[in-house]
Amino acid sequence: MRGNPDREAPFFFMKPADAIANCSTTSATSVSCPTNTSSLHHEGELIVAIGKDGLRIPTTSAIEHQRPNKEGFDCSCPLSPIIPKEDVDLQQGTQLLLKVNGEIRQLTTIGSMIYSIPEVIGHLSKLFWLRKGDLIMTGTPAGVGDVVLGGHISISCGDLLPCDFVIGPSDIVKSKAKDSMT
């Protein structure tokens, strides 16, 4: 097992199904800013899509259950299109980069993650069944910070398609996001 053996046990956050906001590669998507918050934060993280059901998956075979890609309210989970793991080369040195209005706010490498992707899959599958299509947020690096209406967020991770979006008003974005999911 890599990393520090004295690590804390991992903890996870859940997102409701309507949290997903599809980010296109041709233009920035609008992501809603909830009206009941005074503090909205950016968090860039690698998202792993489960491609095969499993329970109690050993870390050594966990990678067979994943398809890599890029806290819940409507449209709180913008992500780029899911790409099969066979079409992506994510190495320990692959950078995860988040920019707000062109300014770098988060920058790390896949190898700096506290838990590897197989470890995350293995741990979660001890707690409950992982089903094809489940999305796992792998954690965010240091640099989480505030964003405001009109803020342009850009997230990239190696060969994965970039995720670009703008923070928009909640009443307009909700209807557009729900339409894009049907």
Side-chain angles (χ1 to χ4, degrees):
M1 188 175 277
R2 63 183 200 106
N4 183 345
D6 298 325
R7 309 176 280 192
E8 290 182 27
F11 59 93
F12 304 96
F13 296 95
M14 174 268 181
K15 298 239 187 228
D18 59 0
I20 294 174
N22 290 326
C23 292
S24 79
T25 57
T26 56
S27 63
T29 300
S30 288
V31 173
S32 65
C33 179
T35 56
N36 62 343
T37 187
S38 61
S39 180
L40 182 64
H41 292 126
H42 61 76
E43 294 187 22
E45 52 190 308
L46 178 65
I47 297 174
V48 175
I50 297 299
K52 181 166 94 174
D53 293 357
L55 180 66
R56 296 182 194 89
I57 302 165
T59 303
T60 54
S61 64
I63 207 75
E64 298 168 18
H65 291 263
Q66 72 138 103
R67 291 186 303 167
N69 185 30
K70 187 62 244 68
E71 300 95 10
F73 54 86
D74 287 345
C75 302
S76 64
C77 184
L79 54 89
S80 60
I82 295 171
I83 300 172
K85 70 180 184 297
E86 296 81 18
D87 297 341
V88 178
D89 184 23
L90 295 178
Q91 301 296 320
Q92 296 297 308
T94 300
Q95 288 189 334
L96 174 63
L97 172 67
L98 180 141
K99 294 180 182 180
V100 177
N101 299 323
E103 176 188 336
I104 295 174
R105 296 276 185 92
Q106 292 182 293
L107 176 61
T108 192
T109 63
I110 299 299
S112 297
M113 294 170 58
I114 295 171
Y115 290 92
S116 69
I117 293 169
E119 288 173 321
V120 169
I121 293 170
H123 184 80
L124 280 173
S125 73
K126 291 176 188 171
L127 302 173
F128 49 83
W129 274 95
L130 293 180
R131 303 289 186 191
K132 182 177 181 175
D134 287 346
L135 301 177
I136 300 172
M137 285 60 174
T138 60
T140 190
V144 172
D146 290 329
V147 293
V148 297
L149 281 176
H152 179 239
I153 314 297
S154 175
I155 305 169
S156 62
C157 183
D159 295 340
L160 297 174
L161 296 172
C163 181
D164 288 304
F165 57 96
V166 174
I167 305 299
S170 62
D171 55 344
I172 295 172
V173 178
K174 281 184 187 179
S175 62
K176 287 182 182 177
K178 291 192 187 284
D179 289 344
S180 73
M181 302 312 283
T182 55

